[in-house]
Amino acid sequence: MTQELILVALLSGLIGLIWVMRLAAEESKPASGQAHESEPSGNSDDIHHGKGALKHQTMTA
């Protein structure tokens, strides 16, 4: 009886962990329609290049 209870607890924890990870992955995805609407007109290439360089420096530091 104790082994079955432990097995159920571990399986329910694993299912909960997978569910939370799936929710976090869906939340971190940018919406495809909103990304293009929020970009300012003009020199967007310079802005994106600067952000990419900053991200690269932050990741390597």
Side-chain angles (χ1 to χ4, degrees), residues 5-21:
L5 184 62
I6 292 172
L7 184 61
V8 168
L10 288 175
L11 287 176
S12 63
L14 182 62
I15 291 171
L17 180 64
I18 291 171
W19 178 61
V20 168
M21 289 177 65

Side-chain angles (χ1 to χ4, degrees), residues 34-47:
Q34 292 177 353
H36 295 293
E37 293 175 3
S38 64
E39 290 181 5
S41 60
N43 297 332
S44 62
D45 292 337
D46 295 335
I47 294 170

Side-chain angles (χ1 to χ4, degrees), residues 46-60:
D46 295 335
I47 294 170
H48 289 298
H49 181 65
K51 286 183 181 178
L54 181 62
K55 285 182 183 178
H56 181 67
Q57 291 174 354
T58 306
M59 293 172 91
T60 58

